[in-house]
Amino acid sequence: MRHHRERMPPLRVIAAYAAVSLIWGSTWAAIKIGVTDVPAFVFAFDRAVVVASILTLVALLLRQPFPRGARELAVVIVVGIINTGGSWAIIFWAEQFVPSGLVSVFGASAPVWTAFLAHFLVKGDRLSALKIAGLGFGLLGIALLVGAPAASESPTVLAATALLVLMSIAWAVAAILQARFLRRVAPIPTVAVGTWAAVLFLVPFALAQVGEPQRWTEASALAFGYLVIFGTCFGMVLSLWLYRKLRPTTITLIQVIVPAEAILIGTLWLGEPVNARMLGGAALVVAAVALNAVAGGGVPGAAERAGTAPAAAAK
């Protein structure tokens, strides 16, 4: 078997990758602050509406083309519901019962699932012995994480962790869809359309909580603004642009950096508890994605791009 040397990505790609990693590592704490003052689904819905409105306005001002083809639109809607609607509903609700750092670690398992799915669905992104070992480490780490909040003895916490596992698998599906079908779309209008789909998805959840008490404090308002501007408008558009430059497995490796930062912020700033089981599970997940990184990834070559379905691509 012949091995080809991977080309180093351009500096702007590396800078964008680093920026998305650092921003998304801090959004978990911002969500925790927000749902302390505002009902979780209402907070998620309000964020989606503002994000969709801003991105739509920017796309119109820049005269960027919106997705039009039936297949393109279908993929954009599905990815929007997975990456924004469904994910925000799960994350915002779960952070009421689970430490934000732990929630972020569940997201970190996405590269493990992505590596597995990419083997079958993305040309040139194959499973190897190292990736299979990583899959084993990742599954073991997830098993530990599911048991991490057991000290609370709450069925709600168990339900939250189960949903977080499903969310990480869904993120992998979205990563594959973006890599296969959304390589050549304009990022800003594409994320705008996907976020409007998420708005519709979140409507019934928000309506269920609209009568609950809420108080917008300075902290929750600042958290909301940070999530809208940096977490989504900047972060999701930039990540979608990265899908045009890197393999899906490489993109989701961002989740290696995210939990370390999220746990640090959650522990030092929010005073969230950290236990040995949680750290052990996190370490196994990080080991899993590290093995995937060593096994391969990077910028697809011209031949690989030619073999990928044309038409091309979030938190």
Side-chain angles (χ1 to χ4, degrees):
M1 182 182 295
R2 292 183 301 173
H3 295 276
H4 300 280
R5 183 183 296 274
E6 299 284 357
R7 290 180 296 141
M8 175 68 70
L11 182 59
R12 61 193 176 119
V13 174
I14 296 174
Y17 194 91
V20 172
S21 301
L22 293 173
I23 289 171
W24 283 357
S26 59
T27 55
W28 307 90
I31 293 170
K32 188 78 169 185
I33 293 170
V35 298
T36 300
D37 296 335
V38 183
F41 297 140
V42 174
F43 195 68
F45 174 80
D46 289 348
R47 178 186 177 188
V49 169
V50 174
V51 166
S53 300
I54 291 174
L55 292 180
T56 300
L57 179 60
V58 171
L60 291 172
L61 290 174
L62 296 178
R63 297 183 178 180
Q64 293 189 352
F66 284 80
R68 293 181 180 178
R71 184 176 68 175
E72 234 177 46
L73 277 172
V75 173
V76 169
I77 290 171
V78 170
V79 169
I81 290 174
I82 291 175
N83 282 349
T84 305
S87 292
W88 289 2
I90 293 172
I91 292 170
F92 283 46
W93 177 77
E95 285 211 22
Q96 298 174 101
F97 316 103
V98 180
S100 62
L102 179 57
V103 174
S104 75
V105 177
F106 278 100
S109 65
V112 178
W113 303 112
T114 305
F116 176 75
L117 293 176
H119 174 79
F120 302 100
L121 301 174
V122 177
K123 186 177 179 65
D125 217 338
R126 317 302 293 172
L127 277 175
S128 64
L130 283 177
K131 287 187 177 182
I132 292 173
L135 180 61
F137 278 124
L139 292 176
L140 182 57
I142 292 167
L144 281 176
L145 291 174
V146 169
S152 65
E153 298 180 353
S154 167
T156 303
V157 173
L158 295 177
T161 54
L163 287 172
L164 288 168
V165 172
L166 292 176
M167 180 194 73
S168 66
I169 298 174
W171 279 2
V173 173
I176 298 298
L177 288 173
Q178 289 178 100
R180 290 197 61 179
F181 303 112
L182 300 178
R183 281 192 179 276
R184 295 185 175 89
V185 297
I188 295 176
T190 299
V191 176
V193 172
T195 308
W196 281 119
V199 168
L200 295 177
F201 178 86
L202 288 167
V203 166
F205 295 93
L207 287 176
Q209 290 188 330
V210 74
E212 296 183 13
Q214 56 179 291
R215 54 189 181 87
W216 285 90
T217 62
E218 182 180 352
S220 56
L222 287 173
F224 183 83
Y226 182 79
L227 290 168
V228 167
I229 301 301
F230 292 99
T232 306
C233 288
F234 182 77
M236 285 193 71
V237 170
L238 202 56
S239 72
L240 185 53
W241 177 79
L242 284 171
Y243 274 104
R244 302 165 63 180
K245 307 295 181 181
L246 302 171
R247 289 176 179 162
T249 303
T250 307
I251 300 294
T252 47
L253 285 175
I254 286 174
Q255 302 301 335
V256 181
I257 302 170
V258 165
E261 183 183 353
I263 290 173
L264 187 65
I265 293 175
T267 303
L268 299 181
W269 188 18
L270 302 180
E272 294 179 336
V274 178
N275 57 45
R277 192 172 185 180
M278 174 181 170
L279 292 177
L284 285 171
V285 170
V286 170
V289 292
L291 284 174
N292 280 314
V294 172
V299 181
E304 181 181 333
R305 289 186 181 181
T308 305
K315 180 168 139 163

